[in-house]
Amino acid sequence: TQSTRPQRILGAVQRNATRGDPRSVVRAIDQYCRNQEWAMNVGDEKGCILDSVVSEVNPATVLELGTYCGYSTVRIASLLPPHAKLITLEFNPEFAVIARQVFAWAGLEDKIQLVEGASGDLIPKMKEQFGVETFDLVFLDHWKDRYLPDTKLMEECGLLRKGSVLLADNVICPGAPEYLEFVRSSPRYESQYFKSHLEYTKVEDGLEKSVFLG
Ligand SMILES: O=C(NCCO)c1cc(-c2ccc(F)cc2)cc(O)c1O
Ligand SMILES: [Mg+2]
């Protein structure tokens, strides 16, 4: 029977990465997706920008919206301080099954909590069900038309504090025009665009970093 792209990505990790070495997992996925078949990981070019923002924020609590195969989850978690927690939300159960195995291969299960379901349903449950106060960093990488409604929802649920950082992937390609307009025009956010390229291609894309001002 035919394998799926996420299954083939997991295979590349299991063949080429070293168990317990997160950076080798990241490298194995990038090499596979650059040389064998494209996949919607944030990739190495935008990944370096992600790394720099994570290192600068040094977050104790991280929320990732959109796990896919766990590439960015592993990339972020590998940079977190010892007791920091990363919660990642994934709607697609097939992606979740693969991502959990990628986290295990990287040896990061204790830092990462993957929750399956729709972000719009799960965000209002964050405080009560997952014991979260506020998030220091949010990485938006899920359905692009959910970036804005979920940002408003996080505000309403009191999940953002003065200084919380939102980092959004794909603001150019595929694009999140309503989100971009909102964070760039709202007096409650200080936004900055990091120009880059769509993963594994020469197409323009970028990350938008927006600091919530409270
Ligand atoms: O939909 C995306 N993510 C949420 C899914 O769970 C996504 C899509 C693309 C992309 C796809 C098709 C194309 F032609 C160009 C870009 C890229 C990404 O980085 C993404 O995150
Ligand atoms: Mg993306």
Side-chain angles (χ1 to χ4, degrees):
T1 55
Q2 261 286 73
S3 67
T4 65
R5 186 170 316 195
Q7 285 170 334
R8 294 191 291 273
I9 288 170
L10 175 61
V13 167
Q14 294 169 333
R15 285 192 306 278
N16 302 306
T18 307
R19 272 185 175 283
D21 177 357
R23 301 315 284 186
S24 76
V25 168
V26 167
R27 186 167 51 250
I29 295 173
D30 278 330
Q31 283 172 348
Y32 180 75
C33 294
R34 184 174 294 286
N35 304 327
Q36 306 304 320
E37 63 177 324
W38 186 92
M40 58 183 169
N41 317 116
V42 74
D44 199 45
E45 189 178 314
K46 289 186 287 178
C48 286
I49 300 166
L50 172 62
D51 290 353
S52 64
V53 172
V54 173
S55 301
E56 170 205 345
V57 175
N58 200 34
T61 55
V62 183
L63 176 64
E64 175 181 63
L65 302 177
T67 314
Y68 187 41
C69 296
Y71 172 93
S72 51
T73 329
V74 165
R75 199 157 181 143
I76 294 167
S78 72
L79 298 174
L80 295 182
H83 304 292
K85 293 296 286 180
L86 192 167
I87 295 174
T88 184
L89 309 186
E90 180 51 59
F91 178 75
N92 184 315
E94 181 213 310
F95 296 167
V97 162
I98 298 298
R100 293 185 197 283
Q101 296 174 78
V102 169
F103 305 154
W105 199 269
L108 289 169
E109 312 95 305
D110 297 349
K111 274 192 181 307
I112 299 166
Q113 181 171 6
L114 193 161
V115 187
E116 293 181 48
S119 52
D121 299 337
L122 293 171
I123 285 170
K125 297 174 182 168
M126 280 291 134
K127 287 192 186 252
E128 64 185 293
Q129 278 202 1
F130 305 105
V132 170
E133 276 302 301
T134 57
F135 288 108
D136 301 320
L137 174 67
V138 181
F139 181 53
L140 296 90
D141 195 22
H142 59 332
W143 290 337
K144 310 316 164 191
D145 62 0
R146 290 298 313 175
Y147 283 21
L148 183 52
D150 285 344
T151 296
K152 291 179 173 174
L153 193 54
M154 286 187 287
E155 275 189 41
E156 286 157 20
C157 296
L159 289 168
L160 304 180
R161 53 134 174 108
K162 190 178 176 57
S164 290
V165 173
L166 305 184
L167 187 64
D169 189 25
N170 310 116
V171 294
I172 304 301
C173 177
E178 299 86 358
Y179 173 80
L180 220 39
E181 169 57 29
F182 176 78
V183 290
R184 289 179 174 174
S185 60
S186 167
R188 302 180 68 193
Y189 291 90
E190 179 59 42
S191 278
Q192 180 182 4
Y193 176 60
F194 293 84
K195 183 176 161 72
S196 184
H197 295 93
L198 178 68
E199 47 267 27
Y200 318 115
T201 78
K202 292 188 167 66
V203 174
E204 182 179 344
D205 189 21
L207 300 174
E208 188 83 358
K209 176 191 170 193
S210 305
V211 182
F212 184 58
L213 302 175

